[in-house]
Amino acid sequence: MNGTNPPTNESLTTSESGEHSHHHNYTEDTDNQVDSVHVHPHVHSEESLRRIINRLSRIEGHVRGIKTMVQQNTPCPDVLLQIAAVRGALDKVARIVLDEHLTECIGRAAQEGNIESEIAQLKAALDRFLP
C-alpha cells in the first residue's frame, strides 16, 4: 500500500432478504491515478458482514492494547510481536473480503454483463493493496 486511502462514503441499505447492499463512492487523487468516481452495488449476507465486522472489532481492540503497551514502556520486541499479530489478522480480513468479492460480486457482474469493469476495479484495488 502506498499509505494513502481514498475518502470513502458508504451507505448501507437492508433488503427484504436480510442482505445489505452498499455502494462505495470515492474519488482518487494520487500522482499515478486520474480522478474518478466508482459506484458499484455489492450485496452481501448478514452473516458475512457480521463476520468481517467482528474480526475488525477484535483487531481494533488489539491495536488499543498495543498502544497501551507502548504507553507502559513494554519492551520493543514484545510490541513488534503484537504488531505482527495485527498484520496477520488484517491479512485474514483482507482474504475474507477478497474471497467474498470473487465469489459474489465478480459472479454477479458476469451475470449482468459488466465483468470487464468489475475486474478493472478489482485490479486497481489490488494494485493499491499489494506491496
Side-chain angles (χ1 to χ4, degrees):
M1 281 180 18
N2 64 11
T4 61
N5 294 320
T8 301
N9 297 321
E10 187 173 296
S11 59
L12 290 175
T13 57
T14 304
S15 69
E16 291 178 18
S17 66
E19 295 179 334
H20 285 285
S21 172
H22 54 257
H23 304 272
H24 303 276
N25 303 315
Y26 57 89
T27 301
E28 297 179 27
D29 188 12
T30 62
D31 293 337
N32 54 358
Q33 292 189 2
V34 178
D35 287 349
S36 61
V37 176
H38 302 280
V39 179
H40 52 277
H42 290 286
V43 180
H44 299 284
S45 70
E46 285 280 339
E47 174 61 27
S48 174
L49 291 174
R50 186 179 56 74
R51 186 175 61 175
I52 292 168
I53 290 168
N54 285 344
R55 284 180 178 263
L56 290 171
S57 293
R58 284 194 301 271
I59 293 167
E60 185 179 29
H62 201 152
V63 170
R64 281 194 304 271
I66 295 170
K67 180 180 175 184
T68 300
M69 290 174 71
V70 170
Q71 290 170 331
Q72 295 173 348
N73 290 318
T74 301
C76 295
D78 295 341
V79 172
L80 290 171
L81 184 63
Q82 294 307 311
I83 290 171
V86 167
R87 279 184 174 171
L90 280 171
D91 286 344
K92 287 180 184 176
V93 170
R95 174 60 193 239
I96 291 168
V97 170
L98 178 59
D99 184 59
E100 180 86 12
H101 187 69
L102 290 172
T103 58
E104 298 295 328
C105 304
I106 297 290
R108 190 170 23 261
Q111 290 174 349
E112 295 172 356
N114 59 344
I115 188 76
E116 293 84 11
S117 172
E118 195 68 33
I119 288 175
Q121 290 176 24
L122 176 60
K123 285 181 179 180
L126 287 174
D127 284 345
R128 295 178 61 93
F129 176 74
L130 297 173

